[in-house]
Amino acid sequence: MSTPTIVTFADGTVAGEGTVTRVETGAAGTVVVVDATPFHPVDHTWPDQPGDRGSIGVDGDAVPVTEALMAAVSGDGEFAVGGDIPAKRGAEGWTWLVGHRIDGAAPEWLTAGSRVSLSVDAPRRAGLSRGHTACHLASLALDLAVADLWRKEPGEDALGNPDFEARANQSSRIHEDGAVDEYRLGKSLRRAGFDTETFAATLADREQRINATLAAWIAAGASSRIETEGPTIVDRRRWRCELPEGVAVILCGGTHVDSLTEFSSITVSLDLADPQLLVMTTAVTPAR
């Protein structure tokens, strides 16, 4: 029986060593599984943050890792990767792994039992971490900016405000120094008590409120970190940020900055070209 992959990315680690446990070639290409890795994989059920890139090497030889992704082995030995995994992350009956996709066939030195060095593309990771933290901050600022538009109680977000994010978000895509989130403003949201007409009529004001909140949070230089319940890829992790309004804690499997001092600015733009779909684009200017 396989054992879950040990991961170290939660504390910002971008390099490490491990032992190759399997090398698989299939529809996903060549995928290398290592018992421990600093690579953050893209989640197959909520692929908001892309998987890390980097390299795997032995004694001066190395191959590029084009993407880190989730992998899993069923109780009867079925190996599956990414979107081909027929179960939600952490589901019982599966052993959860991190796969490292490489181009072409694995070289002779990259086989099960090999001791390897793993190196993540650190600048790209840093950009994705800024993008992911900014994405959470923008969502919390959005919740605050539209809090007065609810006629019913939709549940609370991590700061105690009405949780527009949880009610309306249908997709989130993080990239280096930014993110794009889409929110469905349909009948179900109106039935839940959200005033979509007033929101549309005051869109520019809501955008200004969000950006003012983000500027204040960055000026406060709040701390930001990931809290973990264990070392494996499926142990729960939470993002924690100590904002002026309170401590925000959100379940999250991604990577994040250590402090909001890593931002010069975070700004959002709101697009409601389709009255049924709000698109929020978040852009980061890193601190120099």
Side-chain angles (χ1 to χ4, degrees):
M1 182 70 175
S2 301
T3 56
T5 301
I6 301 299
V7 294
T8 57
F9 59 78
D11 64 4
T13 297
V14 292
E17 294 186 346
T19 300
V20 176
T21 58
R22 62 197 303 154
V23 178
E24 300 280 348
T25 301
T30 300
V31 175
V32 180
V33 178
V34 185
D35 63 347
T37 182
F39 280 74
H40 169 265
V42 60
D43 192 297
H44 68 294
T45 53
W46 185 253
D48 55 348
Q49 180 173 336
D52 281 335
R53 298 173 187 161
S55 63
I56 296 178
V58 175
D59 296 331
D61 292 318
V63 292
V65 174
T66 59
E67 180 184 31
L69 64 172
M70 290 296 297
V73 179
S74 69
D76 59 7
E78 176 190 357
F79 180 79
V81 176
D84 291 333
I85 302 173
K88 289 186 177 180
R89 179 173 176 155
E92 293 185 7
W94 291 80
T95 301
W96 295 90
L97 312 167
V98 175
H100 307 76
R101 180 154 45 204
I102 63 174
D103 287 335
E108 292 183 359
W109 51 264
L110 190 57
T111 60
S114 299
R115 189 71 179 168
V116 295
S117 298
L118 301 106
S119 179
V120 173
D121 180 336
R124 181 173 180 271
R125 159 77 75 76
L128 291 172
S129 295
R130 289 190 297 266
H132 205 147
T133 300
C135 181
H136 283 335
L137 292 171
S139 296
L140 290 169
L142 171 62
D143 286 348
L144 178 61
V146 300
D148 62 304
L149 298 178
W150 290 96
R151 293 186 295 268
K152 300 178 183 178
E153 174 52 58
E156 294 184 349
D157 70 6
L159 290 176
N161 296 309
D163 203 342
F164 176 83
E165 169 76 16
R167 282 283 185 170
N169 188 282
Q170 67 174 21
S171 74
S172 182
R173 291 293 183 269
I174 293 157
H175 54 82
E176 292 181 66
D177 288 321
V180 178
D181 287 86
E182 294 185 344
Y183 300 87
R184 178 57 61 184
L185 306 182
K187 291 181 180 178
S188 62
L189 192 67
R190 292 193 292 274
R191 285 197 295 268
F194 187 75
D195 185 351
T196 56
E197 291 185 359
T198 299
F199 176 65
T202 58
L203 191 68
D205 175 62
R206 308 291 164 174
E207 181 178 293
Q208 290 177 357
R209 293 188 198 182
I210 295 168
N211 286 326
T213 297
L214 291 170
W217 286 347
I218 290 171
S223 65
S224 166
R225 66 179 184 272
I226 301 171
E227 300 176 330
T228 65
E229 293 185 2
T232 77
I233 187 56
V234 288
D235 285 312
R236 286 195 171 195
R237 295 181 293 280
R238 295 174 176 83
W239 171 71
R240 179 185 181 93
C241 190
E242 298 176 3
L243 296 167
E245 286 81 357
V247 178
V249 180
I250 297 175
L251 279 171
C252 180
T255 65
H256 290 278
V257 302
D258 294 328
S259 168
L260 302 197
T261 59
E262 295 186 31
F263 299 104
S264 174
S265 68
I266 303 172
T267 57
V268 305
S269 61
L270 302 181
D271 185 316
L272 204 53
D274 178 348
Q276 300 270 333
L277 183 69
L278 171 68
V279 179
M280 181 170 72
T281 302
T282 302
V284 167
T285 301
R288 295 189 181 278

